[in-house]
Amino acid sequence: MEKEEVDSSPTVPELLCDMDRNPSPPTSDDEEGQTEESIGSTVYSKHWFFSTLTRLIEFVTKKDKSQAEDDEDEISEELDEDMENDICKVWDMSMNEEVALFLKEFNAPEIFLGIISNSKSNRLTEICVGILGNMACFQETCLDISNNKDLGEVLLMLMCDTDPPTLLETTRLLLTCLSRVDVMSTWVERIRKRPTVRDNLCFIMSSSTNGDLLIKVGELVDKVFDVDEDLMIDWLKAGCQQPETPVNDIEEKPVVLGLVPSLLEASKQLKYDSPEGLDVYMHILQLVTTVDEGIQSIVQCPEDGKQIWEFLFDLTCRDLCQPDDPPLIVQEQKTILSSVLAVMSVVLSSQTEQEYTEMSKIDLSLIGSLTRILENLETCQKKNEERPLSAEDEPQEEDFHLNILKDVCCEFLSNILSQLTKENILQALTEGHITEEKSLCTLRNLLPHYAVSVNSFIAVLGEADQTLSKTLKKEISVLKEDS
């Protein structure tokens, strides 16, 4: 089976070390290395692995005893350089499936469970979880790790850790396991039974400035919501169950972070640093709006809803698919644009009376931005049609995503057009957001599916600009004849 995750282990130097200290994995030049002392068809020495893991166990056990005998509350348990180098080599080599299987036979998951449970060293915990994450890239070893109930509980508890590298490796491991159909349900059920996982993820999203960690956490949340809608709803409700009246100091309870505000904070952090990460969070927001509880979590708090609307508006009108961008930019931005516009469309049509979605308050440059997206999509469609037959598979994939973007954009634009007043249209005409060229593009894309919205728009347009209204009516007749 293909690996689900890219190796995140550190770059490892040449596997050479002093033989009186510890035998290194034999190099490929050592013909005698590929014997029964080697791991499978690799040149890695079983004895070296036994020795390294044994020394690691002794190191943790010794430190644990020292702490018990010491009067101080804490004892430093930082890895010495030699030990860290060796365990990092194990981390690197664990991306080999034969090595991963050997570690499983050596009962490494149980060993790492004991080490993680007793470790006071952030670096040691990070490396051990990283090795487990690499092992989880293979079906048999992933199943072994997932079936270890105690290890599963400890890994979920690590989500409250304060060390970003440890959190990153833990999140990567959880995401890898959740990406495998045969163990997915096991991990979803564990996460469901531990509400603190949700709280810890929300805390990370709302407060972390570590881009890599935010991206991986976003991918984990996206995967969880994608495979279990009920769990998503539970997490949405958890953030809404805040006490209406303040409790006294004695009974004060910690505030439960809202899921949607946490997603927004992470998105703000990634906005300029990671377009790919921002894409992930926009997809999560889109998933959230596929259920009533998600829509309510956005619109029930006017201030939160306003912040989300303004953030998405800025992405649409000031960051993505700008006038000076080449039309083919929509190929690169198609998925994030689809998510952003889908969320805005749902909020606009949610039938809630929010000031930020009133037509008198909406910045009409949004109409120009949506029309520009449609114009660029038309250009991309023509480019796709002109592609040589030798690349016929690629256009099919591109057309699928571009068609999704077109559908979402058309639905959103039709919602806006159906609500425009004469004053809105006069303002949009003055500011150049509605022109003959843009209006013709709108008709080509919205008809015939959104004929009601188009007719409503043209009727109001007649009060503001009769000439343009007549031109569009003629175009509608032409389009009907062509169809």
Side-chain angles (χ1 to χ4, degrees), residues 168 171-172 175 204-205 208-223 266-267 269-270 273-281 284:
L168 179 61
T171 307
R172 184 177 76 93
L175 178 60
I204 294 170
M205 291 188 291
S208 178
T209 58
N210 186 310
D212 292 337
L213 177 58
L214 286 174
I215 293 171
K216 196 59 65 177
V217 164
E219 291 174 351
L220 177 61
V221 174
D222 190 44
K223 172 59 71 173
S267 301
Q269 185 67 37
L270 295 172
D273 296 337
S274 174
E276 296 80 8
L278 181 61
D279 197 346
V280 171
Y281 279 90
I284 298 173

Side-chain angles (χ1 to χ4, degrees), residues 182-201:
D182 50 348
V183 298
M184 179 191 299
S185 59
T186 299
W187 286 99
V188 169
E189 193 57 33
R190 282 175 183 157
I191 293 172
R192 187 193 311 280
K193 292 179 180 178
R194 186 173 284 275
T196 53
V197 173
R198 175 219 181 266
D199 299 335
N200 293 330
L201 289 172

